[in-house]
Amino acid sequence: MKHFLALGAATLLLAAPLQAEPGKWTDEPVRIVVTFPPGGTSDLIARVLAQYFESEYGQKAVVDNRPGAGGTVAADFVAEQAPDGTTLILGNNAPFTIAPTQFEDLPYDPMADFSHIAYLGASTPALFVQPASGITSIEQYIDAAKGNGITYGSSGVGSITHILGKAVDIELDIEQIHVPYQGSAPAIQDFRAGVLEAYYDMVALNRDLITEGETQPIALAAPERSPIFPEIPTFRELGHDIVIENWTGLSGPAGMDPQMVETINETVAEIMQLDAVVEQLAQFGIAHTPMSAEEFTAFVEGTISTWEPLIKAAKVNG
């Protein structure tokens, strides 16, 4: 068990600055490790945190992108670092929820080897169909899938959209035809070309297609409706208990001082509530829900057991 440690881009319009506080948690620069390449949502969130850590709290921070192997490259690196608060990871479903079931030889323990510090927020995928199909309800989708069948695209084997597709199969008692892509962009390209009848993707990233009538959203895999598109019903309110969120949180290596963890948690909570940050992240469909470090730790552990049967059903074990 590891106990030695462990965490371009967008420019934000800064809100009125907070009063700088002297009680930062370390005198050394903080490295925020990201599991994906630059330019994505995770990278954006990491750079938001790094910017405000330094500008408002005097805590220097840099972003370190270490993509690969479903986020496990970054997670393994952080797990091996010292628990002094200088290395944190912007974690998500990939290395902490999916990887423990997907990989039999995972080089780290997602709970024992980390200090889970702060929940940041989540974005949610939805089911989309061809507008010309005439399908506008989940009942019609079920009928079509059980009739001639439905071919849908995901952003790849083992991706959150693949897991959602499998969850829909199980909950709705249907068997969709899965076509995995290398990311959501090529899947949407084939969808617009008429190759696919449906696809799963983050609702916020499909804002233009929805408003232009080029895709028809059927249901959102969230606990409640999206503030961006409140007209899209959730699977749950349609009678199908499907909630699949792409969560993001901040963690560090195991063994971090509890007071340091609390300080970072409180600092993150303040940053995530700034108007400028709220508005920026809302463009990606992300809303912050405050959690204590204890609550976030329990949340991460809960996602592992909740997602395990779906990951196994999707046959993404490595």
Side-chain angles (χ1 to χ4, degrees), residues 96-111:
F96 292 125
T97 299
I98 298 175
T101 299
Q102 182 178 7
F103 300 109
E104 295 181 357
D105 57 348
L106 196 65
Y108 57 83
D109 185 305
M111 302 307 301

Side-chain angles (χ1 to χ4, degrees), residues 51-254:
Q51 179 181 10
Y52 280 98
F53 280 164
E54 184 166 359
S55 67
E56 310 301 340
Y57 299 93
Q59 178 65 69
K60 292 187 179 299
V62 296
V63 174
D64 182 4
N65 300 89
R66 291 176 178 259
T72 62
V73 170
D76 187 41
F77 170 78
V78 172
E80 295 284 0
Q81 307 307 303
D84 55 8
T86 61
T87 306
L88 306 175
I89 181 170
L90 197 80
N92 50 66
N93 303 66
F96 292 125
T97 299
I98 298 175
T101 299
Q102 182 178 7
F103 300 109
E104 295 181 357
D105 57 348
L106 196 65
Y108 57 83
D109 185 305
M111 302 307 301
D113 291 337
F114 294 90
S115 300
H116 295 297
I117 301 169
Y119 177 83
L120 299 175
S123 55
T124 309
L127 165 62
F128 298 91
V129 301
Q130 292 284 358
S133 69
I135 298 174
T136 59
S137 70
I138 197 66
E139 292 80 12
Q140 291 173 328
Y141 189 81
I142 293 172
D143 290 342
K146 290 185 175 181
N148 295 327
I150 292 283
T151 299
Y152 79 93
S154 80
S155 55
V157 174
S159 67
I160 188 172
T161 51
H162 180 202
I163 301 301
L164 174 55
K166 183 53 64 174
V168 169
D169 276 350
I170 295 171
E171 177 68 21
L172 275 56
D173 191 25
I174 60 177
E175 190 171 347
Q176 305 161 98
I177 303 168
H178 176 225
V179 181
Y181 289 81
Q182 295 297 316
S184 61
I188 294 174
Q189 183 177 5
D190 269 5
F191 174 82
R192 299 180 72 181
V195 176
L196 299 172
E197 297 161 288
Y199 67 98
Y200 294 90
D201 196 23
M202 301 302 154
V203 66
L205 301 182
N206 287 265
R207 183 192 306 263
D208 291 342
L209 293 179
I210 295 172
T211 56
E212 294 168 7
E214 295 187 27
T215 189
Q216 173 65 52
I218 298 298
L220 185 68
E224 56 189 30
R225 295 196 180 202
S226 166
I228 303 175
F229 291 103
E231 69 275 15
I232 304 175
T234 67
F235 280 103
R236 181 170 284 176
E237 70 183 88
L238 296 175
H240 304 287
D241 192 18
I242 302 174
V243 176
I244 302 287
E245 295 186 294
N246 189 25
W247 62 266
T248 303
L250 198 65
S251 301

